[in-house]
Amino acid sequence: MTLNGHSLIACQPVAGNGKTAHGYNPATNELLEPGYSLLTEGQLATATSAAAAAYPSFSTLDPETHAGFLEAIAENIEAIGEELITRAGLETGLPTARLQGERARTAGQLRLFAAVVRQGDFRGVRVDPALPDRAPLPRADIRQRQIPLGPVAVFGASNFPLAFSTAGGDTASALAAGCPVVFKAHNAHPGTGELVGQAIVKAVKNFGLHPGVFSLIYGPGSSIGQALVADPAIKAVGFTGSQSAGIALMRTAAARPEPIPVYAEMSSLNPVFVFPGALTGNAEEIDVLASQYVAAVTGSSGQLCTSPGLLFAPTGAAGDKFAAAVGRAVAACAGQTMLTAGIAGSRNSGAEALGSADNVSVLGLGAEGATENAPPPAIFGTSVAEFVSNPVLHAEVFGAASLVIRYSDTNELIDAASRLEGQLTASLQLAPADYPLAAPLVPVLEQKVGRIIVNGWPTGVEVGHAMVHGGPFPATSDTRTTSVGTLAINRFLRPVAYQNLPQELLPAPLRDGNPWRLNRRVDGVVEAAAAEEAATEKAEVNA
């Protein structure tokens, strides 16, 4: 596929009137062609107005067309082949296997949402039939469904050039909800974004949809991003990135004449709590646990939103053995290329602040990587008392760095957990004998995180129906939501009730006869589509 170096506005290449930006190979800091022309704020309205014009037709697509469109995007992404993996590798320094897995996840998310669209439960159809003879007052016919919010602005993530970017989770869930998307590409991987954008454009055209269903824009991150969120045509925002950038978007959205929701996934330390029973094995078993922890910290150079930045380990001989094993494991690691020179620099500053804090020691330090922007992984250590009292130790370091905190009893763990900010995850390493010790910690963690894990590590995020990838602020801007899994679609919907509307004016999901064959709640009772169809057919036969 040919890279044009331009935005795709309403599915058409449009040259920006601003400066030109390039991607860079973070392994060598070499400039990559082509250059990408950046839009000015004045050009932005073309994309947002097209999205608004696309909303009426796209938001009312029948389920089969809608699902087929999502599946076509997945097929088109896969059809790009190795060109996509190669370009993403050049722009991010991520290894081929990681990018292949991310491509599979991107396509899998789209197909999962296609199944959700076909099933239709997300539409939340409720029917309260009229009760004209009810005493003391009759009841009107009231029907409810969830409708799409409107055009959604989605921001690409630096650390996931596929799964959380152009056609990633936010875009997939917004499109599945029936919302047109204006996607702000991340300037660190512009070519990858354009390749996937072309795959979406192809699906829009092949299905004959309004071209404003999707736009891909390049522009200066702060100015064009703020202008996009402030645009009155935009009705919601999906964002994955830093806390400072997320909060800036939240403020802009809240200050609009019509405030809109911002669903931002931001910082998280993802604490791990190691209980005594997890360390009662022999030295080899302790080494395995330590190696698993270090692998979770250093995987993808620590550039995962679920990388464990904190680990609580008991004091005493077993805890000492574990800490020593952690030091050995990280010393055997070498740095991996980070996404950009800027991200590597921020990681180094964060690690330096952590290591220079009072009463913090170095448990283990790896070697620098063979490429540029590949700093050495590091694990630090401190006491629970120091952690509780020093806010510097609560700051996220985005990269391969983590802090081991030693505690003496469960009360210290509960106190430390209660002082944490909101997190995406918390993990418990324990044995059955630890269950009574862990029981009082679980309700504390429920108030702090979106996902609690036992005897596992947080860095694998399954895309499914039960997954929650969210948490209290500042992990996310709205603790009620998830950005991964099928419930992510709920972020871009709102309920509307229809009272006493004649059949001719009702939307298809609410009409008698259930033409879209949806599961519906009728007078408070869930009626499966198959049962409702059978009842309708029986009534027609009897008539």
Side-chain angles (χ1 to χ4, degrees), residues 52 85 141 185 292 296 301 311 453 464 519:
I85 302 301
D141 181 284
Q292 290 173 344
S301 197
L311 182 142
I453 303 156
N519 296 332

Side-chain angles (χ1 to χ4, degrees), residues 286-304:
I286 291 176
D287 284 348
V288 168
L289 187 66
S291 296
Q292 290 173 344
Y293 163 54
V294 170
V297 171
T298 59
S300 293
S301 197
Q303 300 167 120
L304 299 174

Side-chain angles (χ1 to χ4, degrees), residues 54 63 90 95 105 119 242 247 254 288 314 365 422 438 448 463 510 534 538:
L90 287 173
R105 173 172 167 164
Q119 185 185 48
S242 70
I247 290 175
V288 168
L365 183 67
K448 295 291 182 178
V463 180
L510 299 178
K538 182 178 180 180

Side-chain angles (χ1 to χ4, degrees), residues 34 79 86 89 121 211 310 337 417 440 499:
T86 300
D121 286 358
L310 301 174
T337 302
Q499 185 168 324

Side-chain angles (χ1 to χ4, degrees), residues 515-540:
W516 281 5
R517 300 186 297 279
L518 304 173
N519 296 332
R520 313 199 298 186
R521 185 178 292 273
V522 179
D523 213 6
V525 178
V526 175
E527 290 189 359
E532 191 171 348
E533 286 178 27
T536 300
E537 291 174 2
K538 182 178 180 180
E540 290 174 351

Side-chain angles (χ1 to χ4, degrees), residues 358-359 382-394 415 419:
D358 292 341
N359 300 312
T382 193
S383 68
V384 69
E386 193 66 36
F387 174 76
V388 166
S389 64
N390 190 347
V392 172
L393 307 185
H394 293 248
D415 181 51
R419 296 170 186 266

